[in-house]
Amino acid sequence: MNDRLIGRAGFLGTLIEYYDLHIFTAAAALVFHQLFFPDMNSVMGAMAAFATVGVVFVARPLGSIIFGHFGDRLGRKKTLFVTLLLMGVSTVLVGVLPTAQQVGILAPILLVALRVVQGLAAGGEYAGASLLIAENAPTHSRGRWSCLPNLGGAMSHSLAGVTMLAVTFS
């Protein structure tokens, strides 16, 4: 596979993966306390919503360990596909979750479970993309190519901000 194609794929995969995470964080700040923690006062509800953001940061290192193992055993491309699929499916499921008013305590439990899956997927995707790019980059420019997953993650912040701005003003 072409090193440029691998570099683009690693950049875009990380961009998409972390865009999902950043959109969720913005939504947690704005509406999740009302949807999933309505019985709490606004401060405690916001803290509970942000705790669902925090579980991602606990799960990410575990995801890099778990998917790093499978990437070594089964191949990085297959493992990257699985991580992207897990992130996509869990993000869609977060979008269609019933609220606490509909299913009670089950709603925040499902939300946290899906956030753990997202964290595992993000950790596995980032580690796998970084390694795949570094392994396939030209020897003389390996460092430059290896920054692409970081660049994708950083650009996802901006893209999520623009998306939330567009949603706010529409």
Side-chain angles (χ1 to χ4, degrees), residues 64-85:
S64 64
I65 292 168
I66 293 166
F67 287 108
H69 169 76
F70 287 117
D72 290 343
R73 300 277 188 256
L74 304 174
R76 298 202 202 294
K77 291 177 198 169
K78 290 177 185 176
T79 305
L80 285 172
F81 176 77
V82 169
T83 61
L84 289 170
L85 185 65

Side-chain angles (χ1 to χ4, degrees), residues 16-73:
I16 293 166
E17 194 99 0
Y18 281 82
Y19 173 76
D20 290 346
L21 291 175
H22 300 312
I23 283 291
F24 179 91
T25 302
L30 299 173
V31 296
F32 276 18
H33 65 280
Q34 298 163 356
L35 297 176
F36 296 103
F37 308 102
D39 295 335
M40 296 180 173
N41 68 45
S42 62
V43 173
M44 292 304 293
M47 288 177 65
F50 281 122
T52 66
V53 173
V55 299
V56 169
F57 292 98
V58 173
R60 277 174 49 191
L62 296 173
S64 64
I65 292 168
I66 293 166
F67 287 108
H69 169 76
F70 287 117
D72 290 343
R73 300 277 188 256

